[in-house]
Amino acid sequence: MTSLWLDRATAVETDPFEPESRYDVVVIGAGLTGLTSALLLARAGRRVAVLEARSVGAVTTGNTTAKVSLLQGSHLQGIRRFSGRSILDAYVRANRAGFDWLLRYADENDIAVQRRPAVSVALTSAGTSTVQREFDVARDIGLPVELIASTDLPMRSYGSVVLPDQAQFDPLDVLAAMTAELRSLGGVVVEGVRVTGVVSRHDPARVETSRGDVSASTVVIATGTPMLDRGLYWAKVSPHRSYATAFRVPGALPTGMYLSVDEPRRSVRTAPDGGGGELLLVGGNGHKVGHAESPAALLDDLTRWTNDHWPGAERTHVWSAQDYSTPHRVPFTGWMPRGSGRIYLATGYDKWGMTNAVQSALQLAAAITGNDAPDWGRTLSRRVTTPLALASGIGTNAAVGWWYAKGWARMLTSRLPADRPAEGSGAVGMAEGRPSAESTVDGTTCRVSALCTHLGAALTWNDLERSWDCPAHGSRFAAEGTLLEGPATRDLTRR
């Protein structure tokens, strides 16, 4: 599985890792949040190193649908409900700042951007009231939205909210330009180095990695979710996985960026194919990480839905992305508790990372350089958790506890089959008295520990991506046990 963006991205020049080096700032993660933060800090005269466990854009940014929009499905009404109007107002202003900065950067670096209307659409009659609420909330907060009855989608709809002049682009083009500019300012970008810990009691902080240690006065954690347990952010965010596909389609394509407000969610946009034509991008069927019985079946359903409405569509790419939501529906951005004032983080974009990554980077850079924070940033940082948001968080963690119990009960009452798993499949059970997980991928059978190295939840098999996924806090591991993403910092033990 490779996203359209990663498949056609050109190689990005990066730097070698130099153990025992000292920097002003170490940024963990080379996605949009990390590289924007690093670039802003380098422009302010800081010596910055970006450490990336995989490659530039390999995780969320390289697997997004890359919509840059202030209208975000039905997200605005969720913020209003869980956090109140003042927080919603600050959130929209923050996203406007991120939107403007990002499109200005694209223009300055000759990055292709397509301006499109963003459309929140009801594809069932049950979604009509949701569309109306989103229209009312968006208009009340000052967005120039319209309420329309029909769309240019080839299926029946039940009302839509439209915000004109939003944007879409190839996110890897942006990351490549940022990497080049950062390095021209004396910063370094290092791939293939996983950060496993940060010791922040003294200045400089010690950043522990898979290839040796480095030090920095300030550390920015710009991964999907923090890999440090301080602040218990793994318990404050909920990990979700969703799917995207690209198709060559005969005939007319839609002209907007669509997102349905009802279930199952459907995301629709187009993208240039590199040859003067356009591809159709369709996403959806999201679920909590590790909770879907068959992600492969969800992809098949997405493909069938596309072929039903665009006959003759030929699939060219399949990919997936992981994102994290917060109980109050706005990101966590700022300093990390018990970090001695030296560790900062940003997480919880709830699938709207293009604008939220940049607004979070703007906040972080202001805090680290000592510049005045934007007024919307001060409002968001002083957010008070409402009873409704608190109840949502409690409910999420109660569900996590249930998955712990379910996973362990299933594992302890099962034994691994004597025969090796069929190609592309995996099984969890007891083997030689130990919780074990066994899978066969590309003809190779591997047996690993069945317990997530983060907090010991029983793993589940992902039959689409052929990975072991943690249903508790979202860590994911390759079939042979290599850590892919999430709050875990160690690979699975090989059996």
Side-chain angles (χ1 to χ4, degrees), residues 70-72 74-96 133-143 328-330 376 379-380 383:
L70 304 184
L71 181 66
Q72 303 173 349
S74 57
H75 194 55
L76 299 183
Q77 62 188 275
I79 297 173
R80 175 72 178 262
R81 180 184 178 212
F82 284 89
S83 292
R85 192 186 189 285
S86 65
I87 297 299
L88 173 62
D89 177 72
Y91 176 87
V92 171
R93 287 188 290 126
N95 274 247
R96 167 60 72 185
R133 284 194 301 271
E134 195 70 8
F135 170 74
D136 292 340
V137 170
R139 185 176 58 175
D140 178 63
I141 212 68
L143 294 178
H328 38 70
R329 306 306 192 265
V330 297
W376 47 261
T379 300
L380 292 175
R383 179 195 63 252

Side-chain angles (χ1 to χ4, degrees), residues 381-405:
S381 65
R382 292 195 298 264
R383 179 195 63 252
V384 175
T385 301
T386 65
L388 190 60
L390 181 63
S392 175
I394 291 172
T396 296
N397 280 286
V400 168
W402 183 85
W403 274 91
Y404 264 98

Side-chain angles (χ1 to χ4, degrees), residues 37 40 94 331-334 344 356-369 371-374 376-381:
S37 300
L40 292 169
F332 290 114
T333 304
Y344 293 78
N356 277 305
V358 179
Q359 67 93 351
S360 291
L362 293 169
Q363 288 191 68
L364 294 175
I368 292 168
T369 58
N371 293 329
D372 290 338
W376 47 261
R378 292 193 295 270
T379 300
L380 292 175
S381 65

Side-chain angles (χ1 to χ4, degrees), residues 25-29 33-34 37 41 218-223 342-346 364 368:
V25 184
V26 165
V27 177
I28 306 170
T33 305
S37 300
L41 292 166
T218 305
V219 178
V220 175
I221 302 178
T223 52
R342 300 186 182 93
I343 306 177
Y344 293 78
L345 83 157
L364 294 175
I368 292 168

Side-chain angles (χ1 to χ4, degrees), residues 405-429:
K406 176 183 177 181
W408 271 88
R410 182 171 53 188
M411 181 173 57
L412 291 173
T413 56
S414 303
R415 293 190 60 82
L416 283 182
D419 296 333
R420 76 182 209 166
E423 174 63 36
S425 66
V428 169

